[in-house]
């Protein structure tokens, strides 16, 4: 019986395998399959059921984490901007999200391990070059959205320290400056990180200053690249993100000064001559 058939049977019978370690290894090996049903519904879905349902021992969770963070998973062919390796990276990040969320109850991660996850996740999102959302015939790659989910899970974790906020915010800026105009919910997923930072106690003045810095770097690139196509796309990326952030802040009644900063910046760019 192949993996797809085995996972379908497990889902149909609502059962768990007696050989869980072997099953986990097999799923991790195929986590980046280009078969969307196997990757999204069966492998990720089974991981979610195993982890969220508390069906795994701590040693199994630890082993999964170590594997997902290695060079053959989260950092697999990280220098590539196309190809199929992105599925392995992107879905490894989602499994790490599951593990971080489960640690709220299971407490199997040490403070040092949380630090390692944070460092590697920030590096991954910064260095990811494949920004595709949906890939025809292969399904969702969604590396930036899943990377944003990973950073949001890190911020949500009880052990997250606000001293890492600057690193996280710089990571969001980096995601916006990858030369892509996002169309598949990436903006919203990045903004969830900011919402969780504010919940954790991020000072609104820090957010306001970061927004000003974001537009300052946009201005520098705009001038350096002589209003090229790349510069126009960067402008669109930042403006779309800023508009979405503005309305999310307004909806939650947060960051009045940050909202004003966004208003000023958008007004400036609307009135700026091409």
């Amino acid at each position: 019986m192949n993996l797809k058939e085995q996972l379908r049977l497990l889902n149909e019978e609502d059962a768990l395998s007696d050989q869980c370690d072997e099953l986990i290894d097999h799923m991790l090996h195929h986590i980046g399959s280009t078969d969307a049903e196997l990757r999204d519904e069966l492998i990720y879905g089974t991981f979610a059921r195993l982890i969220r349902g508390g069906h795994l021992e701590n040693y199994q969770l630890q082993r999964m984490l170590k594997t997902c963070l290695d060079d053959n998973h989260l950092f697999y062919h990280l220098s590539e901007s196309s190809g199929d390796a992105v599925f392995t990276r992107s879905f490894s990040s989602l499994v790490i999200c599951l593990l971080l969320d489960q640690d709220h109850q299971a407490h199997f991660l040490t403070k040092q391990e949380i630090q390692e996850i944070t460092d590697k996740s920030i590096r991954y999102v910064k260095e990811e070059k494949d920004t595709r959302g949906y890939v025809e015939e292969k399904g969702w790659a969604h590396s930036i959205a899943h990377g944003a989910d990973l950073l949001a899970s890190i911020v949500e974790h009880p052990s997250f320290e606000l001293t890492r906020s600057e690193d996280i915010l710089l990571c969001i800026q980096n995601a916006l400056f990858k030369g892509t105009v996002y169309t598949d919910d990436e903006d919203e997923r990045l903004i969830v990180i900011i919402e969780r930072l504010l919940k954790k106690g991020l000072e609104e003045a820090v957010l306001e200053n970061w927004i000003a810095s974001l537009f300052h770097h946009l201005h520098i690139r705009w001038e350096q690249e002589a209003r090229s196509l790349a510069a126009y796309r960067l402008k669109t990326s930042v403006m779309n993100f800023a508009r979405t952030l503005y309305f999310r802040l307004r909806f939650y009644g947060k960051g009045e000064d940050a909202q004003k900063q966004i208003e000023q910046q958008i007004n400036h760019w609307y009135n700026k001559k091409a």
Side-chain angles (χ1 to χ4, degrees):
M1 183 184 299
N2 63 32
L3 179 60
K4 198 169 184 177
E5 292 171 342
Q6 183 181 3
L7 293 177
R8 278 176 177 164
L9 184 62
L10 287 174
N11 280 291
E12 288 169 3
E13 297 180 352
D14 196 24
L16 295 173
S17 173
D18 292 330
Q19 298 178 317
C20 214
D21 286 343
E22 182 179 342
L23 177 64
I24 289 169
D25 289 343
H26 205 183
M27 289 194 297
L28 287 171
H29 181 71
H30 293 280
I31 198 170
S33 170
T34 56
D35 181 331
E37 182 192 5
L38 176 60
R39 182 186 67 245
D40 292 29
E41 298 177 25
L42 297 175
I43 293 179
Y44 176 71
T46 301
F47 273 134
R49 188 156 64 95
L50 288 171
I51 295 169
R52 290 172 177 161
H55 298 294
L56 302 179
E57 300 294 331
N58 284 358
Y59 83 87
Q60 293 171 313
L61 300 172
Q62 291 273 6
R63 203 157 59 87
M64 288 172 61
L65 176 65
K66 183 177 180 181
T67 300
C68 286
L69 287 171
D70 70 22
D71 290 342
N72 291 318
H73 289 80
L74 190 63
F75 298 103
Y76 183 58
H77 292 185
L78 188 55
S79 63
E80 294 182 358
S81 59
S82 61
D84 295 333
V86 65
F87 295 103
T88 296
R89 299 191 298 270
S90 182
F91 281 81
S92 294
S93 72
L94 282 188
V95 173
I96 299 170
C97 290
L98 292 171
L99 294 167
L100 281 166
D101 293 345
Q102 182 62 18
D103 188 59
H104 293 204
Q105 288 79 40
H107 306 293
F108 63 93
L109 296 173
T110 66
K111 190 172 182 179
Q112 183 176 357
E113 285 169 329
I114 295 295
Q115 179 68 39
E116 179 187 6
I117 295 169
T118 303
D119 291 341
K120 288 189 173 182
S121 299
I122 288 172
R123 179 194 156 201
Y124 163 64
V125 176
K126 282 185 175 179
E127 296 184 15
E128 178 62 79
K129 292 178 175 59
D130 193 330
T131 57
R132 290 175 295 170
Y134 189 82
V135 179
E136 291 296 331
E137 299 183 359
K138 298 176 183 178
W140 290 102
H142 235 185
S143 59
I144 300 303
H146 292 176
D149 293 345
L150 178 53
L151 294 178
S153 291
I154 288 168
V155 173
E156 184 79 1
H157 193 277
S159 296
F160 176 74
E161 298 179 355
L162 272 175
T163 53
R164 300 305 305 271
S165 297
E166 183 178 348
D167 295 331
I168 299 289
L169 289 170
L170 284 173
C171 201
I172 296 172
Q173 177 179 309
N174 181 274
L176 295 172
F177 278 62
K178 289 183 184 289
T180 297
V181 177
Y182 296 116
T183 58
D184 294 315
D185 203 33
E186 291 89 350
D187 291 353
E188 287 80 1
R189 307 275 269 274
L190 289 166
I191 287 168
V192 170
I193 306 168
I194 294 175
E195 291 173 352
R196 293 189 179 179
L197 284 171
L198 288 169
K199 274 188 181 179
K200 279 295 181 80
L202 179 73
E203 292 182 9
E204 294 186 0
V206 173
L207 178 59
E208 180 191 1
N209 290 335
W210 176 75
I211 292 167
S213 175
L214 179 69
F215 277 97
H216 173 69
H217 283 88
L218 170 61
H219 173 76
I220 291 172
R221 287 281 296 275
W222 182 262
E223 296 299 323
Q224 286 178 342
E225 299 186 16
R227 300 164 180 78
S228 63
L229 176 60
Y232 273 101
R233 287 179 174 169
L234 175 57
K235 174 190 169 186
T236 300
S237 176
V238 173
M239 293 284 277
N240 286 348
F241 173 84
R243 283 191 290 262
T244 304
L245 177 58
Y246 176 81
F247 284 105
R248 290 283 278 271
L249 291 173
R250 286 200 66 177
F251 180 81
Y252 289 108
K254 297 281 189 180
E256 289 186 11
D257 290 338
Q259 291 178 48
K260 291 176 183 176
Q261 178 67 236
I262 293 172
E263 289 176 6
Q264 292 169 6
Q265 294 290 349
I266 289 179
N267 184 59
H268 168 77
W269 280 89
Y270 273 146
N271 292 317
K272 192 178 183 68
K273 292 182 179 179

